[in-house]
Amino acid sequence: MCQNEEVPKVVDSQNRRQSVGEAIHRIAAREGIEGVSVRVVAAEAGLSVGAVQREFRTKDELLRFALDFSIAEVADRFSRVRIGPESLTFAEGMRAVLVDLLPTDDRRRAQARIWAAFYARAAVDTGFAEKLADLDAQARVNLAAALGYAREQGELVSGRNTEALAELLLVMIDGLWLTCARLPEGAPLDGPRAAIDAAVALVTGR
Amino acid sequence: MCQNEEVPKVVDSQNRRQSVGEAIHRIAAREGIEGVSVRVVAAEAGLSVGAVQREFRTKDELLRFALDFSIAEVADRFSRVRIGPESLTFAEGMRAVLVDLLPTDDRRRAQARIWAAFYARAAVDTGFAEKLADLDAQARVNLAAALGYAREQGELVSGRNTEALAELLLVMIDGLWLTCARLPEGAPLDGPRAAIDAAVALVTGR
DNA sequence: TTCGTATCGATACGCCTGTATCGGAAGGAT
DNA sequence: ATCCTTCCGATACAGGCGTATCGATACGAA
């Protein structure tokens, strides 16, 4: 009953949550969010139904966790791209972010599919929509900084409203992400790549 | 058993299919595609389960029909925008198409939500993905024509690859459509509008 | 060792799903 | 009027769902 008794429990719990997150990832990538049920998740994670239930009281909690889990991964991926002096130019950074969305491996392909499912759910679930809106707000801040830097460096096409450009880029990221989600397994990525090239060229004025 | 006996049956059948399509629209806009079940659809359309079953042998057939139903509506909406001499300039047409996607009324809001669901399903259902790919192909053709006309008229920003621009616009349409899908009911549309302005400005070089 | 508690997996519950089946109404043809 | 076909809606069925419950087990405290 002493406090440090909880230490192993918490660790265990975190491990379980992690593996549940991964399990949901795999299932959702395979069959969409509709295929995610408590039983299936438990089986995929090698846990009993009870174990999953004890970790997540309701299915909603489960899916919310899965979204957070995915957001963390994507945010981490984006945050690795550093734009600034002694680092990437804006054009390089913008290209890096967009190219990184392309489904060039299984993990990325799976993530694109999961996000498609999350987006769809956000359309009818306020909680999901809010989380994505938060993510957007955060992205807007980062984009504003990047675009400001680009303007300083003369990298930006002249005479454009920075906020509007940020909105356009947000929309473009969503579109690219979702377009990629519905490409078949071995499909060529020429189309998306061309879109990225065009976007970078237009925004930076070449 | 004579042939014209089928005439009223066919008409009836088409009416039923139409009302089923509308019913699915309403349900999917309200609760997402997960909420679409045979029973619920039947109730929403004021039909018996058997009637729906007779019209659509399986649920898959039902959803496929719903997608076709929605594609027809969107295609019709787009086809009303005419770009060319004695009609809209490219910039006007492009803006019209994009603005028309905004959830400015209930019907548009519902449609955006439904498409979010369809996109998500296309990520895990080959049949859906193919239908959307066909739609993309068709849009590519139309965009190519519009962009060609724009180039002729000197409306297009110079030195850009037309095919790449078309890909970018496709991605942007998807992104705009889906971003709108997850906006809350009365949310301001400033962001999307700014994105549209920026897109039109960039593509036409002002 | 024995007790008390906390955590475990299994299973029960009621509901909803997609689909199949079936008795009866309806309505031309004879 | 009778038959026969066609279409109708109600209901049956098996299975999956989210969630609640419960006996067994493991394990630290006494």
Side-chain angles (χ1 to χ4, degrees), chain A residues 78 81 88 90-101 196 200:
Chain A
F78 279 9
V81 176
L88 272 51
F90 174 76
E92 288 168 348
M94 175 176 166
R95 175 177 301 277
V97 166
L98 295 177
V99 167
D100 198 44
L101 290 175
I196 293 174
V200 173

Side-chain angles (χ1 to χ4, degrees), chain A residues 18-93:
Chain A
Q18 181 82 11
S19 63
V20 165
E22 295 285 352
I24 297 179
H25 247 64
R26 287 193 297 271
I27 298 163
R30 198 192 312 137
E31 324 167 35
I33 231 178
E34 303 169 26
V36 175
S37 80
V38 177
R39 269 166 255 258
V40 173
V41 167
E44 179 83 27
L47 297 171
S48 69
V49 174
V52 174
Q53 268 188 294
R54 234 165 287 114
E55 215 61 56
F56 308 95
R57 248 167 314 198
T58 66
K59 186 183 178 179
D60 220 69
E61 214 175 300
L62 193 70
L63 289 178
R64 255 165 240 286
F65 167 76
L67 177 58
D68 288 336
F69 187 82
S70 220
I71 284 179
E73 187 166 338
V74 171
D76 175 69
R77 177 112 58 86
F78 279 9
S79 73
R80 289 182 194 283
V81 176
R82 292 249 162 265
I83 295 176
E86 312 196 6
S87 186
L88 272 51
T89 65
F90 174 76
E92 288 168 348

Side-chain angles (χ1 to χ4, degrees), chain A residues 129-153:
Chain A
E130 281 169 5
K131 278 194 199 295
L132 293 185
D134 288 349
L135 196 63
D136 269 3
Q138 187 183 324
R140 239 181 294 263
V141 171
N142 293 338
L143 267 175
L147 285 167
Y149 172 73
R151 168 138 298 164
E152 276 177 26
Q153 300 292 313

